[in-house]
Amino acid sequence: MSDIPMNHAAPASKIVSPSRVLTAKALRHRSFMLGFCVVGTVALVALLAPWLAPYDPYKQDLLARMARPVFMGGEWKHILGTDALGRDYLSRMIYGARVSLMIGFVAAMISAVIGTTLGILGGFFGGKVDAVVMFIVSVRLALPATLVALAVVALFGGSLTVVVLVLGFLLWDRFAVVMRSATMQVRQMDYIAAAEVLGASVARILWKDVLPNVLNALIVIITLEMAHAIILEAALSFLGLGVQPPTPSWGLMISEGKEMLLFESWLITIPGLALFVLLLAINILGDGIRDITAPEGRN
Amino acid sequence: MLKFIAMKLGLALLVALTVSFISFSLLYMAGDPAISMAGEGASAEVIAAVRQQYGFDRPLLVQYFDWLMRALSGDFGISYYFKTPVSAMVAERLPVTMTIGALGMGFALCLAIPTGVLAAAFPNTWVDRMALGIAVVGQAIPSFWFGLILIVIFSVNLGLVPASGTRSWTGYILPMIVLGYYATPAIMRLTRAGMLDVLSADYIRTARAKGLHWGSVLFKHALRNAIIPVVSLAAVQLGFMFGGSVVVESIFALHGAGFLAWESISRNDLPTMQALILIFSMFYIGFTLLADILNAWLDPRLRAG
Amino acid sequence: MKLASVFATILLPACLASSLAYAGKADDVLNIAFSRELEHVDPYYNTAREGILLGAAVWDALLYRDPKTGTYVGNLATAWTWIDTTTLELTLRQGVKFHNGEAFDADDVVFTLNYVVDAKNGNKSQTNTNWIKSAEKVDSFKVRIHTNGPFPAALEYLAGPIIIQPNEYYTAVGQQGVATKPIGTGPYRMESVEPGKHFVLKRNPDYFAAAKPKATIETIDIRTVPDANTQMAELFNGEIDLVWGVPADQADKMAKMGKFQVVNAPTMRVGYLSLDAAGRTGAKNPMTDLRVRQAVNYAVNRQGIVDALMKGTSAVINSACSPVQFGCEQAVMTYAYDPAKAKALLAEAGYPNGFSLDFYAYRDRPLAEAMIGMLAEVGITAKLNYMQYSALREKRIKDGTPISFMTWGSNSISDVSAVTSAFFRMGGEDDARDPAVAALLEKGDGSVDADERKAAYSKALTTIADKAYWVPLWIYSSNYVMGADVSFTPTPDELIRFYDISWK
């Protein structure tokens, strides 16, 4: 779904290589480019955190607590001010980008593997296999994700690994559903039947013929689920059951800043805005990818 | 149709059973409740006695079936924390969650359907873009942050609504918005997509060609057909909302079932948790079943599959 | 609204706080917020501060300790005397009626005490009652309490958490009935209970008012508002008249607004780090080394934390008890902040590059984080595990923890037996497991001679400090924020006596 009309530029022939067509489409897709740039910047900041951060994000200074950011009359020493323990807020934001992105990415990857496997199996084989897959998906959907995540984290403690694993094992449902229907469509194509007739092994067909054809849908879901994982991690951290301090995660920073919500609410506005912008960008990026890779004439 | 319903019902029951077993065994691993129940400074003997008295020393499957049988008759045991029957406590708190869930869904529908319809009526215009903006923002805004900001603006600065509690109806406004906004994007997108499909259909073109009023074509003829999938999505979303009300209830200090669930998790209050996870799942399963049946009733082609 | 003012609204909201409207005084309802869900209104079935407050409002104890003079006066009892070292005889007050009309007599006392000491009944605060062996009726208004060995602090407990239930009513409705409709003799009666979330107290006009006064405010409406910000927001809107335990930063800001009374009062609650000296989490645990424990003591800048984060009347402590408690020896080894010394001790103990371990906490996350930061400075990487109190307690009893940040309010019992003895007498949470200390404490707890007790406690506390079993951190203070028309003077025992509150 896009705010940009894009079906006029359909390439007429197959002579132009598909990747060049995609690149061209992507470059013309304004919101995709915007999302791409924002996500790319955040990723770059996260990667280069040790070089970009002006201070050690864990270094506390109890005598310089809750210094206000520059745009609220603070000093340039701490551009975004300091938190309740006197730690540089900008540095914590920069390192927090790492945590949020990492959690989102790894969790999305885990759920991609689980969901795609289930979805492709169900979609390709149909019948009983499909029934079992759909049953598993129904069970997963019926479990209240937030509650189960909270319970598991409360049970095993809130380490980064536990949070990532829990999210990964909870968010694969959309992958399964979409991959299943995408596989079903691919399944009906002639060349799959041809491959079967030619005696190609099922594994080979799945790997060589089915997977590449559902890849586009997969990438779209990965971006969306990444956003989903980031927002859930933030919610868990907010409730005090996510990543444990002093590790800076944006959700945790909101949770910590919440104490002074009524008096120094820039403490939650800064990480909240960052989180919002990142999620917005990821969502726009996902929508953009869907537009760009969608078959012509539909959005 | 009956056969279809029976099949769906059977499947739903199977899902419910599986979910109940998963939630039970998950919490079974959650450590030894006997220690926290025995109280401060209790000796090892007292703890052992408590363990035996409540049957924590029996095998998992035995405990599960025992629990399931009693749960089926509406007896979820006694809360470890409050020492009162879980079913009574849940019954007392569920209405709050159901109220904000229903209000939130109402809010979502009121916001999503008109914008979705308008976006489809004027595709690729500023109307469409604004609708898309609402959807994208809704997907990206963390609900806990949104809730806090709303408290700061409307409760503290403007003093329009109370920050917490449900002593008057105004206390429901902010939770309704926060919870409802969360469900808006999906519903809006589906409305828009459905409307785009319907609007390109022949009979709508005919209706327009006959000179029928555009508004009545949109809302009377087109929406009626586009709304079918939206209704079932809304039912499913409502199921999600109940499970997702934890955050909202904790921010606005609403003593509903979601907040109770969260507190029970951290208090190791197993019977309450088990009951709540099961009940939230049941809501979801019930709503999905309803959606399936509704869909099949409205669209006979689905009954085959 | 201009963009700038929108930003101001979001970034610094409280400068614009709305007008105040105190609904409380007009309709004689005092609105109070509890921060946590109270599990059970019966004080014997909860271990929460809130439970003690309700206990004092709705019920009466046999004795009463005057908060100003510290002396015991009769409440439900009129006279008491030790017949021998393990038998206390009490004469009961006549003419007292419970809220449901049931007459108070010896049967109520005997029933209550025998009920709560019976482990089968699941009394949650056993440290309050496990010194009692049994109670015996002498006549309708005379009872004897038999103790498990000499127990000099008995009066303190009888004046505090040990309240008396009506025997006939309690037997009829059981503990579950009491959970929703408790009956006591106190200055307030419980009008309605929604477990965990809402309690309404009404003035008891027929209160006998022997030790505690009659209540003045007609209705006390208590709601659970778990979120501190929501509490503040409701204070702004005048929907809450009184909260306590407000963090120092918020209290400062509230005080500056000039629209509230903000009072800071010390409490009996101590904060401490419990170190796994006994090696319960593994014999190789670095905490089993005295030098490491001392290093941890030197590494934590307690004064810095008190000054910057806690403020008010909070203060650093050096002994494993609250300085106001009987027997709390102050002349013990002290460890002033000295990171260099901490590093040297760690190196000497074989950890020149430090080590990492799990750090457990259940409240005051900023304080825990600050200490973790300080430990990191000397090379100890502490990984925070933040849990609910009950879960952490369970873990500590079952497996132990290498290092835990705990606090203890002593149930407002002004005696070392309520704190040091609770943690160093080989109980579940005793991380030191030092038989010498346990024996000394046992001697102190069991003796009736004040000097002998003091001497034993002093030796025990000196050993605890020398061996650095704990890092005694600080005593907490509590910030009370009240509406302008509430008249209330906090006491150092952190007991909010609802019947002492009135309107200005």
Side-chain angles (χ1 to χ4, degrees):
Chain A
M1 174 178 310
S2 155
D3 52 338
I4 292 172
M6 38 152 300
N7 24 10
H8 313 296
S13 71
K14 295 255 173 198
I15 303 165
V16 190
S17 90
S19 68
R20 274 184 59 192
V21 174
L22 282 183
T23 317
K25 276 168 92 177
L27 285 175
R28 252 179 294 132
H29 197 291
R30 265 184 296 161
S31 61
F32 169 84
M33 287 312 291
L34 183 70
F36 182 80
C37 289
V38 173
V39 176
T41 312
V42 177
L44 215 62
V45 165
L47 272 179
L48 301 178
W51 294 276
L52 289 177
Y55 295 89
D56 175 354
Y58 300 107
K59 174 80 186 164
Q60 57 199 30
D61 179 0
L62 294 183
L63 298 176
R65 305 173 58 235
M66 288 189 277
R68 289 193 173 163
V70 163
F71 55 86
M72 293 181 65
E75 293 172 35
W76 280 99
K77 208 169 105 192
H78 296 288
I79 297 172
L80 292 184
T82 60
D83 72 0
L85 291 176
R87 296 175 295 204
D88 183 58
Y89 225 47
L90 177 62
S91 306
R92 285 184 75 72
M93 287 298 297
I94 291 173
Y95 274 86
R98 262 187 171 189
V99 177
S100 290
L101 272 186
M102 204 275 280
I103 287 177
F105 186 72
V106 180
M109 281 304 152
I110 295 173
S111 34
V113 170
I114 301 173
T116 310
T117 312
L118 285 173
I120 289 185
L121 286 178
F124 188 82
F125 292 107
K128 285 205 178 104
V129 179
D130 189 35
V132 171
V133 166
M134 284 320 284
F135 181 75
I136 299 177
V137 172
S138 310
V139 170
R140 154 58 207 98
L141 283 174
L143 283 171
T146 324
L147 278 189
V148 172
L150 281 172
V152 173
V153 174
L155 183 56
F156 294 102
S159 73
L160 206 61
T161 329
V162 172
V163 173
V164 167
L165 284 178
V166 169
L167 295 179
F169 278 96
L170 276 177
L171 300 180
W172 49 264
D173 48 276
R174 206 173 337 178
F175 285 101
V177 173
V178 176
M179 286 297 110
R180 174 175 167 272
S181 56
T183 310
M184 278 177 167
Q185 278 175 8
V186 174
R187 179 91 173 88
Q188 284 155 11
M189 307 243 175
D190 292 340
Y191 63 96
I192 303 283
E196 272 187 305
V197 170
L198 287 174
S201 77
V202 172
R204 197 187 146 78
I205 296 176
L206 286 181
W207 185 252
K208 285 270 176 188
D209 297 316
V210 177
L211 194 62
N213 278 292
V214 295
L215 213 55
N216 289 342
L218 184 63
I219 292 171
V220 174
I221 314 274
I222 286 180
T223 53
L224 296 181
E225 286 305 305
M226 208 172 134
H228 197 175
I230 291 175
I231 214 168
L232 250 182
E233 180 275 321
L236 287 184
S237 295
F238 177 77
L239 291 175
L241 281 167
V243 177
Q244 291 296 308
T247 316
S249 115
W250 291 351
L252 188 64
M253 290 172 75
I254 297 177
S255 169
E256 289 177 345
K258 192 183 68 163
E259 293 236 320
M260 294 302 282
L261 171 72
L262 302 179
F263 306 102
E264 304 283 345
S265 53
W266 55 270
L267 282 169
I268 70 149
T269 311
I270 292 173
L273 266 183
L275 194 58
F276 173 62
V277 170
L278 175 64
L279 293 168
L280 198 65
I282 296 180
N283 276 310
I284 292 177
L285 188 67
D287 283 350
I289 297 174
R290 178 164 34 206
D291 283 349
I292 292 165
T293 58
E296 300 308 326
R298 285 190 61 88
N299 59 1
Chain B
M1 184 71 189
L2 267 181
K3 197 179 153 210
F4 173 83
I5 293 181
M7 209 187 73
K8 285 282 173 193
L9 197 66
L11 204 63
L13 280 178
L14 207 59
V15 170
L17 212 60
T18 317
V19 166
S20 73
F21 182 70
I22 292 177
S23 66
F24 186 89
S25 37
L26 181 74
L27 298 170
Y28 180 83
M29 301 187 298
D32 192 346
I35 293 182
S36 44
M37 287 181 72
E40 196 173 296
S43 63
E45 294 82 59
V46 174
I47 293 172
V50 171
R51 195 174 292 139
Q52 208 176 13
Q53 188 189 344
Y54 284 85
F56 297 137
D57 47 357
R58 297 170 301 161
L60 169 64
L61 270 178
V62 177
Q63 288 194 47
Y64 171 65
F65 279 113
D66 184 43
W67 172 78
L68 187 68
M69 285 305 130
R70 283 188 291 114
L72 284 178
S73 62
D75 173 13
F76 288 102
I78 306 288
S79 157
Y80 293 169
Y81 189 74
F82 290 110
K83 312 274 183 202
T84 50
V86 172
S87 40
M89 203 162 63
V90 171
E92 184 209 358
R93 309 230 181 177
L94 260 184
V96 174
T97 305
M98 281 157 71
T99 311
I100 57 166
L103 285 173
M105 183 45 73
F107 176 81
L109 291 175
C110 288
L111 181 64
I113 292 181
T115 43
V117 168
L118 288 176
F122 306 101
N124 299 326
T125 61
W126 64 269
V127 180
D128 192 10
R129 249 167 257 170
M130 210 177 70
L132 183 84
I134 292 178
V136 175
V137 168
Q139 269 174 336
I141 199 159
S143 58
F144 54 93
W145 185 64
F146 188 43
L148 293 177
I149 297 286
L150 287 185
I151 289 184
V152 167
I153 298 175
F154 291 102
S155 181
V156 178
N157 287 333
L158 303 177
L160 293 177
V161 287
S164 76
T166 50
R167 278 186 299 178
S168 78
W169 63 273
T170 47
Y172 283 105
I173 295 179
L174 295 185
M176 172 187 86
I177 295 174
V178 173
L179 200 60
Y181 196 39
Y182 175 74
T184 303
I187 297 174
M188 202 215 74
R189 284 174 184 240
L190 197 64
T191 312
R192 178 182 178 273
M195 284 297 285
L196 277 178
D197 266 359
V198 174
L199 286 178
S200 62
D202 288 341
Y203 69 100
I204 295 291
R205 295 185 188 184
T206 320
R208 283 198 76 181
K210 278 201 275 181
L212 282 180
H213 186 255
W214 180 219
S216 93
V217 170
L218 261 188
F219 284 93
K220 269 194 180 156
H221 300 274
L223 184 59
R224 190 180 293 169
N225 285 294
I227 202 96
I228 297 171
V230 174
V231 170
S232 66
L233 177 73
V236 174
Q237 288 274 344
L238 193 57
F240 276 130
M241 267 182 170
F242 285 159
S245 57
V246 182
V247 177
V248 173
E249 285 179 25
S250 81
I251 292 175
F252 293 103
L254 298 172
H255 292 271
F259 183 65
L260 181 66
W262 175 47
E263 290 277 278
S264 304
I265 288 172
S266 32
R267 293 193 286 236
N268 270 353
D269 190 350
L270 285 176
T272 316
M273 283 231 48
Q274 278 159 345
L276 284 170
I277 292 194
L278 188 69
I279 288 167
F280 281 129
S281 307
M282 289 303 136
F283 269 114
Y284 176 82
I285 293 168
F287 283 125
T288 347
L289 183 67
L290 203 70
D292 279 346
I293 294 172
L294 205 65
N295 261 344
W297 182 55
L298 293 169
D299 189 350
R301 279 172 304 169
L302 287 175
R303 283 177 220 169
Chain C
M1 230 188 298
K2 277 187 189 165
L3 197 64
S5 64
V6 172
F7 266 114
T9 312
I10 297 178
L11 297 173
L12 283 175
C15 5
L16 309 164
S18 61
S19 59
L20 300 167
Y22 293 117
K25 191 174 179 181
D27 53 8
D28 208 5
V29 177
L30 181 77
N31 290 296
I32 291 180
F34 277 0
S35 300
R36 47 175 266 181
E37 295 200 339
L38 183 66
E39 57 260 54
H40 199 298
V41 283
D42 184 337
Y44 292 113
Y45 287 100
N46 67 62
T47 51
R49 165 78 24 190
E50 290 82 355
I52 301 176
L53 307 187
L54 288 181
V58 177
W59 287 272
D60 279 295
L62 291 165
L63 313 181
Y64 183 74
R65 189 167 62 87
D66 189 306
K68 289 188 193 78
T69 60
T71 53
Y72 300 111
V73 294
N75 194 9
L76 283 176
T78 50
W80 56 95
T81 149
W82 286 100
I83 294 182
D84 57 54
T85 53
T86 59
T87 312
L88 181 68
E89 187 175 272
L90 299 108
T91 311
L92 304 179
R93 188 176 303 277
Q94 306 199 10
V96 176
K97 283 215 167 8
F98 284 96
H99 299 148
N100 63 347
E102 187 179 328
F104 164 78
D105 58 21
D107 289 328
D108 300 305
V109 179
V110 172
F111 166 79
T112 305
L113 297 184
N114 286 334
Y115 182 86
V116 297
V117 296
D118 187 347
K120 273 210 307 291
N121 295 319
N123 166 16
K124 278 206 124 187
S125 43
Q126 303 215 355
T127 43
N128 287 338
T129 52
N130 59 10
W131 54 274
I132 300 175
K133 193 164 152 210
S134 64
E136 173 200 3
K137 177 177 172 179
V138 179
D139 63 40
S140 290
F141 290 96
K142 195 162 272 183
V143 292
R144 280 182 186 170
I145 298 174
H146 302 283
T147 65
N148 292 316
F151 189 71
L155 299 185
E156 181 70 27
Y157 286 91
L158 289 178
I162 299 182
I163 53 88
I164 303 302
Q165 298 276 11
N167 68 323
E168 287 156 43
Y169 176 73
Y170 207 105
T171 326
V173 300
Q175 170 236 5
Q176 278 188 42
V178 172
T180 49
K181 184 113 194 68
I183 297 285
T185 50
Y188 278 99
R189 64 182 170 78
M190 191 70 79
E191 165 119 322
S192 74
V193 176
E194 292 171 57
K197 58 177 195 182
H198 192 192
F199 309 93
V200 180
L201 305 181
K202 285 274 180 204
R203 202 168 76 92
N204 173 11
D206 309 319
Y207 185 56
F208 63 94
K212 305 188 239 180
K214 278 195 180 194
T216 56
I217 291 177
E218 180 63 28
T219 309
I220 309 252
D221 190 307
I222 303 166
R223 281 179 304 132
T224 304
V225 182
D227 187 274
N229 287 306
T230 322
Q231 287 185 0
M232 299 295 113
E234 300 224 331
L235 269 167
F236 289 165
N237 294 337
E239 288 175 52
I240 291 178
D241 301 304
L242 167 65
V243 291
W244 58 91
V246 176
D249 290 331
Q250 276 106 315
D252 276 0
K253 299 273 183 185
M254 297 290 275
K256 283 195 190 112
M257 289 171 69
K259 294 166 179 167
F260 303 98
Q261 309 177 63
V262 178
V263 184
N264 180 280
T267 73
M268 213 179 272
R269 181 168 298 276
V270 295
Y272 62 94
L273 297 178
S274 184
L275 310 177
D276 182 20
R280 299 173 63 207
T281 57
K284 284 199 182 132
N285 183 341
M287 290 301 159
T288 52
D289 190 319
L290 170 64
R291 290 164 298 192
V292 175
R293 295 199 301 272
Q294 286 179 330
V296 172
N297 267 278
Y298 284 119
V300 178
N301 182 1
R302 299 171 294 165
Q303 194 62 51
I305 291 179
V306 167
D307 290 346
L309 298 172
M310 304 179 73
K311 304 173 194 168
T313 51
S314 302
V316 167
I317 56 169
N318 295 306
S319 202
C321 43
S322 170
V324 296
Q325 286 173 310
F326 174 86
C328 189
E329 177 61 69
Q330 294 301 300
V332 297
M333 168 87 179
T334 58
Y335 301 86
Y337 177 53
D338 190 344
K341 203 162 182 179
K343 271 188 199 155
L345 279 163
L346 283 178
E348 202 183 304
Y351 301 100
N353 302 315
F355 54 86
S356 58
L357 83 179
D358 285 316
F359 183 108
Y360 289 83
Y362 74 98
R363 61 177 270 174
D364 303 321
R365 209 199 292 246
L367 303 183
E369 273 194 76
M371 286 189 276
I372 286 174
M374 289 161 181
L375 290 175
E377 299 273 305
V378 302
I380 301 175
T381 310
K383 205 176 124 259
L384 178 61
N385 294 268
Y386 198 78
M387 304 166 107
Q388 280 269 328
Y389 179 65
S390 58
L392 177 54
R393 208 171 150 264
E394 182 183 328
K395 168 134 188 94
R396 284 176 49 74
I397 291 175
K398 218 159 66 178
D399 320 314
T401 54
I403 179 165
S404 295
F405 168 34
M406 307 299 290
T407 79
W408 187 248
S410 297
N411 287 310
S412 296
I413 302 286
S414 194
D415 193 285
V416 160
S417 65
V419 48
T420 320
S421 305
F423 295 105
F424 285 97
R425 277 187 62 178
M426 303 286 183
E429 287 192 81
D430 185 353
D431 286 331
R433 308 269 154 131
D434 184 332
V437 171
L440 282 166
L441 290 171
E442 210 163 317
K443 193 173 159 209
D445 293 351
S447 162
V448 281
D449 180 75
D451 290 333
E452 209 175 291
R453 298 187 68 210
K454 263 191 185 154
Y457 287 141
S458 165
K459 267 191 206 157
L461 287 164
T462 308
T463 314
I464 292 169
D466 286 342
K467 298 258 176 87
Y469 289 137
W470 272 12
V471 182
L473 296 170
W474 39 66
I475 52 158
Y476 281 84
S477 63
S478 182
N479 290 301
Y480 298 76
V481 179
M482 297 173 262
D485 51 3
V486 177
S487 165
F488 171 60
T489 313
T491 46
D493 53 11
E494 211 184 345
L495 281 181
I496 293 131
R497 294 166 174 83
F498 295 148
Y499 44 84
D500 275 344
I501 308 176
S502 58
W503 302 113
K504 275 191 178 162

